[in-house]
Amino acid sequence: MNNTIETILNHRSIRSFTDQLLTADEIDILVKSAQAASTSSYVQAYSIIGVSDPEKKRELSVLAGNQPYVENNGHFFVFCADLHRHQKLAEEKGVNISELLENTEMFMVGLIDAALAAQNMSIAAESMGLGICYIGGIRNELDKVTEVLQTPDHVLPLFGLAVGHPANLSGKKPRLPKQAVYHENTYNGNADDFRETMNAYDQTISDYYRERTNGKREETWSEQILNFMKQKPRTYLNDYVKEKGFNKN
Amino acid sequence: MNNTIETILNHRSIRSFTDQLLTADEIDILVKSAQAASTSSYVQAYSIIGVSDPEKKRELSVLAGNQPYVENNGHFFVFCADLHRHQKLAEEKGVNISELLENTEMFMVGLIDAALAAQNMSIAAESMGLGICYIGGIRNELDKVTEVLQTPDHVLPLFGLAVGHPANLSGKKPRLPKQAVYHENTYNGNADDFRETMNAYDQTISDYYRERTNGKREETWSEQILNFMKQKPRTYLNDYVKEKGFNKN
């Protein structure tokens, strides 16, 4: 196993950072790494906003559901789907491509491009001994996030990435068994296989929590998922992304 | 610069592979690497379908727009957004979570989770000396792709990933200048900065093609993007993803 794969397999989200800020050189190599990711048809349909202003970090931290590691970290990045550049190029040429830019396909392209770039940055950071945590919580109140970051139409903040020097190492949470995620040639929708896999995984997760909390937690993955699904959903997003020029047709 | 960052920065899409197939161990480590990626609220909302059946690879290659490297590679993976497991868990408990599963937020979660996993697999593959190419072309005709792969509702194939031993190294395409993609604290929407950056980048790309093709190609990035935007858009996707249970509300 090479170093890179060791880094990848050793991933755990870090939610507690020292107050050491990233250097300009570190930020530079992280952004370069992000940019090196594949991009659909070379469109590079994303942007990254690096947030260092303490006031903005505090605001984002509150908006993301009072997560302190959004404020306290080495640097905070926000990844956005971005078709603003493409819109501007078209405008300059007097071409109207709004209908195309605003369709579901381009929404998907923006999300996928941004996520590929973010994961490159994450692996690069972890290879440098830094820790990372994705922050989906910025989708709680995107109207306010777009105000803080002053993003124009055709730019949609998707998630944050907190990066920094780890203060505490968290545990590595067990993933679904391979056979639940990896299918050969066709999707295996067999109900018995599903139940068997879920039983085994639920046991693994329950054991994992019990061990790490001296028996205080012992919920299964199934229980967690069903609880998660009962949370307040971000139902405003359907309208919101359309307002910003995405996913309209 | 460490090995991992070297691997990341050295990425180029490979579109020509030898006929050497990946071994079961290689596939296993690639899937493990994919699974180690971050996942939104631990939902793991994706699946990977590994395609080795030559007939299926041929079919997918045609559906993806006759791209020969979809058929000829070491292994072909299809990454899907997958909320089928969550739907099944809810059904077993007699809980109705369809409205939640089918909203735009969960569509975004599925896309982001799948893309993070795919990029982990890509970096792992490249660190092993393998080449990769993302195949967005499978979104040309998703109705037929879902037939080939027999994916149920709440599973949406997003893109393919061709992996294999490179037969030819392609060039490393220059990315947008950092200042076009990376913003500090707020989004820089300044029109003069945009034009200046685009002029420089268009020159870079034009030079890149001219050098590599002995002057036969010399188009700029702006020209490529505007041509791309004139292509037949995948307008059916808006309805199609809804039919499959995504992005409905």
Side-chain angles (χ1 to χ4, degrees), chain A residues 118-152:
Chain A
Q119 190 57 15
N120 257 17
M121 183 184 283
S122 299
I123 299 297
E126 291 178 334
S127 79
M128 292 157 69
L130 300 167
I132 65 113
C133 186
Y134 279 89
I135 310 293
I138 69 157
R139 294 196 301 279
N140 288 344
E141 299 191 72
L142 270 192
D143 51 340
K144 291 180 185 154
V145 169
T146 53
E147 261 177 48
V148 171
L149 303 176
Q150 297 176 32
T151 49

Side-chain angles (χ1 to χ4, degrees), chain B:
Chain B
M1 194 178 304
N2 65 47
N3 289 344
T4 300
I5 291 173
E6 267 175 32
T7 296
I8 287 173
L9 296 183
N10 197 35
H11 164 72
R12 65 275 321 272
S13 292
I14 299 297
R15 295 190 173 79
S16 173
F17 299 98
T18 72
D19 54 9
Q20 190 180 344
L21 298 178
L22 300 197
T23 65
D25 281 351
E26 284 169 336
I27 293 171
D28 193 57
I29 195 74
L30 291 179
V31 173
K32 272 204 184 73
S33 295
Q35 287 197 263
S38 295
T39 161
S40 179
S41 302
Y42 209 18
V43 294
Q44 306 176 71
Y46 68 95
S47 275
I48 307 167
I49 304 176
V51 187
S52 55
D53 177 345
E55 184 49 40
K56 283 188 189 297
K57 286 172 91 168
R58 196 168 307 126
E59 285 171 359
L60 292 175
S61 158
V62 172
L63 293 173
N66 292 305
Q67 301 186 53
Y69 38 97
V70 174
E71 184 179 352
N72 306 315
N73 49 50
H75 205 67
F76 191 69
F77 299 90
V78 177
F79 283 77
C80 309
D82 188 347
L83 296 166
H84 181 70
R85 283 186 286 272
H86 311 78
Q87 170 67 19
K88 269 179 127 168
L89 289 175
E91 268 172 27
E92 287 181 353
K93 299 280 176 195
V95 187
N96 184 348
I97 57 167
S98 300
E99 202 180 321
L100 181 71
L101 279 188
E102 295 173 352
N103 73 19
T104 298
E105 160 72 5
M106 291 309 295
F107 181 56
M108 294 172 74
V109 164
L111 263 73
I112 294 167
D113 269 15
L116 300 184
Q119 190 57 15
N120 256 17
M121 183 184 282
S122 299
I123 299 298
E126 290 178 335
S127 79
M128 293 157 69
L130 300 167
I132 65 112
C133 188
Y134 279 88
I135 310 293
I138 68 158
R139 293 196 302 277
N140 288 343
E141 298 191 72
L142 271 193
D143 51 338
K144 290 180 185 153
V145 168
T146 53
E147 261 177 48
V148 171
L149 304 176
Q150 297 176 33
T151 49
D153 283 353
H154 299 109
V155 177
L156 187 71
L158 299 173
F159 49 80
L161 190 71
V163 182
H165 295 269
N168 281 306
L169 271 196
S170 30
K172 203 170 85 175
K173 285 208 277 189
R175 297 304 196 238
L176 281 164
K178 182 185 172 194
Q179 68 270 25
V181 167
Y182 186 66
H183 305 253
E184 293 188 25
N185 288 309
T186 51
Y187 192 94
N188 177 9
N190 182 284
D192 293 338
D193 290 350
F194 175 76
R195 194 46 8 248
E196 198 180 315
T197 305
M198 281 301 123
N199 286 343
Y201 188 50
D202 278 344
Q203 188 63 52
T204 302
I205 298 303
S206 187
D207 291 348
Y208 169 83
Y209 283 120
R210 197 179 301 109
E211 228 170 78
R212 286 176 44 84
T213 63
N214 289 320
K216 276 182 215 139
R217 284 180 70 178
E218 51 175 9
E219 77 264 35
T220 65
W221 187 72
S222 299
E223 284 165 351
Q224 275 189 63
I225 291 304
L226 291 170
N227 283 333
F228 168 75
M229 293 292 178
K230 280 184 224 153
Q231 286 182 345
K232 190 178 143 231
R234 296 170 180 144
T235 46
Y236 78 99
L237 276 171
N238 188 258
D239 290 333
Y240 187 75
V241 304
K242 291 188 177 94
E243 266 172 48
K244 297 302 283 183
F246 288 90
N247 198 28
K248 287 166 80 167
N249 56 72

